[in-house]
Amino acid sequence: MLAKKMLRDIRKHKIQFISIFLMAFLGVFIFTGVGGESLGLEANVNQFYEDTNLADGWIYSPYLNDLFLEQVYLLGATTQMERHVVIDSEADFENKPDITLHFVENNTISKFYLMEGEPLNINDSNGVWLDKDFANAKGLKVGDNITFTFDDYEIKKEIKGLGYSPEYVYHATTYSVLPDFNRTGFAYLSHKAFPSDNVPYNVLNVKFNGKPETFNKLLDYRLDGYYVSFLEKSEHSSVKFFSDQISLQKMIADIFPFVFILVSMLILLTTMKRIIAHQRTQIGTLKAMGFKNRSILWHYLSYGFWLVLIGSVLGLILGPMILPKLIYPVMTDIIAFPYWKSIESMDFAYIVVLMGLLSLGVSYYSAKSILNENPSDSIKPKAPKYSSTRFIERFKFWHKLSFNIRWNYRDAKMNKFRALMTIIGVMGCTALLVCAFGLDDSMNELSEWEFAKINHFDEKLVIANGASQSEIDHVAQDVNGDAIMESVIELESSTAKKSGALLVLDGTDLITPTDYNRNKIEIKDNEVSISQKMADLLGIDVGDTVRWHAMDSNKWIETKIDKIHADPNSQGLIMSKNKSEELNLTYTPTSILTAEHVDKNYSIVKGHTSLEEMADRWNEITLAAWMLIYVLIIFASLLAIITLYNLGLMSFTEIEREISTLKILGFKTRVLRKLLLTQNLLFTTIGFVLGLPLGDIILKRMWASSGDSFYVIPSVSITNILLMGILTFSLSIFVNLMFSRKIKKLDMAESTRNGE
């Protein structure tokens, strides 16, 4: 009997229950889908790091002899060491791609991961094990020969294997902060393949116990002055980039589903309260017939429980199956490693259990009051609400207000729960829309800031190693360009140590430093500016002093910070050529910028790229982020539609009796429709206004989790705010008009009854 009654009730309120099912499904779908994708990336890359024994740190030194190794071992924390010769070379192709060569001592730390060919043979002096993505871009295969040029050497090797390296999961280039496998790559060779008997090891890969900070202090204590720099794993550009990407996606996976789950419980709560309020007589009759409270309670608990459970389980199954398959393919353009599997976590099962428990709790809260009543009280219609005179109604202006305003004020006061639920629902929808559109705006502004506000060159010519200053000046004059110097540096304050970038400008106007408002700032010849993001990470400000050194030098420099600039992509220092020379830093130009298109080839230029190509590459790289943003915009809009429809339905059914009474008293339909529209717009406005700052807070938290690499000022454009407003209010008005049309067909005799 109760089962049949439940089916009848679900059919009667099918829109609400479908919405509950859909919200539960979407909440778990996003949580498990984005979570499965981010957890999959994290688990896969950690497995890759484990399989290849990624180093805990890298010691850069020209003195990597047996004595140095002994001293590192005597630090006490060191568990494993391996020397590499890491050298930048050019491969013999027309575009002179940069290939980082690793002549390895035994391939035990940061090992080459084989995908094709034969395993790396440490005794093979003729073979090379090449970056698989570079090989694919160049059409190379196992058995082909490839020639590398570096310093005064030219070596020709046979490709024995293709694969990946844990140090190049993400690999930026000299042309761009983004990977370009046609222009850059890496290769592993045996130390016996080095073209000299004296192998000049310059990097020591280390594994150690304890914290990196402690290891670094021990290293300073025993070997200060004998090594150039120490790079811990978390500061490695590849590791850091990947970690930042995962952090951002985890934040999205945690925040967005929460709103869907909240709204699903809100709809369930309002629906159950409405059903129970309308079925008081039926509940009283069931009690009088001998049905026990627990049977009636489980009957009403079952309404939402099974729908939420089925929706959650479906989301649990489909989320990890669908979303990772949408996002992973576009990430292969920037991420290079062999595993691409989504991961299912026990947390996913816990969220389903939580959803079930929440549905039971919400339904119990809706039913508990009537279950405590005697059958004789339950069978009677509930006394109608009444409004007592309040403070504001005692003022004279109250009677001068229109009936519309006074009626809506009193109705909201009598039905505080309904008003609150409507406002909370609109707040949640607005907050999600702000996040989704805010991510879209922030990504657009980041691209526009980098490629229009800061950089104004047409082409960037990368200078080959060993070029003389006179040769550089000749090319710069010939293309009407300006030389710049870019370098990787390590910065240190009293509270933190970070790796960053150094940019040395020589009077060029093709790069314009900006502040956080994207306005041009001038960095004078005698000034040093630090990026806002780096200043925040190091905890310093204008007037403070920072220690830093180039990664290829052990000479530490102390510099006073004169200005702070803001850059979305490059975090570090900017100074003039004169200032660098004043600091006894060797000025070595690495690129020439020009506003002209360059077709001519120069012997000292190993490659060039246009700003347009860099922007296009950026769009390709951020495709995964865009994919996620578009999914969130669709889901947020869907949430707004479902929420506003259900809240509109709830509002109409809640005040149906009052509207019928007013109609009996002679109020015209147009007046009654205006009453409903006024209330609807009022609640929507309050929810929308409160949802904007809430969404802004969530958006800032999301971008704050994006890591150290990017500096993003979260923002939502006026256009998108207007678009969100139009979407929200249009839906609100549409829903209101849809329900207010029923006023004409309202059965006043039936509606004025208190029960069903």
Side-chain angles (χ1 to χ4, degrees), residues 213-471:
E213 298 84 1
T214 304
F215 185 84
N216 198 5
K217 289 178 181 178
L218 292 171
L219 194 62
D220 279 341
Y221 175 75
R222 190 172 288 272
L223 288 163
D224 187 25
Y226 290 94
Y227 75 98
V228 176
S229 61
F230 169 72
L231 180 66
E232 64 180 78
K233 181 167 66 176
S234 63
E235 285 299 306
H236 192 283
S237 59
S238 173
V239 176
K240 184 164 62 173
F241 177 86
F242 204 88
S243 177
D244 292 346
Q245 293 295 308
I246 292 173
S247 296
L248 178 60
Q249 293 187 26
K250 280 185 175 180
M251 179 63 70
I252 292 173
D254 290 341
I255 290 177
F256 270 71
F258 172 77
V259 179
F260 283 87
I261 293 169
L262 174 66
V263 170
S264 69
M265 293 301 113
L266 183 151
I267 296 173
L268 176 60
L269 177 61
T270 53
T271 301
M272 292 309 301
K273 286 183 75 71
R274 175 173 174 260
I275 290 174
I276 291 170
H278 284 192
Q279 295 186 0
R280 286 180 56 84
T281 302
Q282 294 183 33
I283 294 171
T285 302
L286 291 172
K287 286 184 176 184
M289 292 172 62
F291 282 88
K292 294 184 178 180
N293 277 351
R294 65 172 177 268
S295 298
I296 299 173
L297 176 61
W298 175 244
H299 167 68
Y300 284 103
L301 292 182
S302 301
Y303 280 65
F305 175 75
W306 293 114
L307 289 172
V308 168
L309 183 63
I310 294 170
S312 300
V313 170
L314 193 60
L316 174 67
I317 296 171
L318 296 180
M321 289 175 58
I322 295 175
L323 281 184
K325 290 181 179 179
L326 291 176
I327 299 172
Y328 280 167
V330 297
M331 295 192 71
T332 57
D333 286 339
I334 56 171
I335 304 299
F337 70 103
Y339 317 131
W340 291 95
K341 300 176 183 177
S342 62
I343 297 295
E344 295 189 14
S345 167
M346 278 303 296
D347 290 343
F348 299 167
Y350 295 151
I351 195 68
V352 173
V353 174
L354 177 62
M355 291 286 287
L357 292 176
L358 284 174
S359 69
L360 292 175
V362 167
S363 298
Y364 174 75
Y365 175 79
S366 303
K368 67 175 183 177
S369 59
I370 196 169
L371 292 175
N372 294 328
E373 296 181 6
N374 295 322
S376 57
D377 295 326
S378 300
I379 208 167
K380 297 176 183 177
K382 190 173 183 179
K385 297 177 182 179
Y386 69 95
S387 175
S388 59
T389 302
R390 296 297 176 92
F391 177 74
I392 194 173
E393 298 176 35
R394 295 192 178 101
F395 288 96
K396 291 183 179 179
F397 74 84
W398 172 258
H399 299 285
K400 296 181 181 179
L401 297 176
S402 66
F403 173 78
N404 190 324
I405 295 175
R406 285 183 291 165
W407 183 87
N408 276 300
Y409 170 79
R410 285 177 171 169
D411 181 72
K413 187 173 66 176
M414 287 189 298
N415 298 281
K416 297 183 183 69
F417 177 79
R418 169 162 52 85
L420 182 62
M421 290 300 99
T422 304
I423 291 171
I424 291 175
V426 176
M427 276 181 64
C429 296
T430 303
L432 272 194
L433 288 170
V434 168
C435 290
F437 282 102
L439 286 170
D440 179 74
D441 279 334
S442 298
M443 293 294 289
N444 279 323
E445 287 195 12
L446 191 151
S447 178
E448 194 270 341
W449 188 6
E450 177 70 18
F451 300 111
K453 295 288 187 180
I454 294 177
N455 295 298
H456 311 290
F457 56 87
D458 183 79
E459 298 221 10
K460 180 179 183 180
L461 283 61
V462 180
I463 301 171
N465 295 331
S468 67
Q469 188 62 52
S470 60
E471 290 175 319

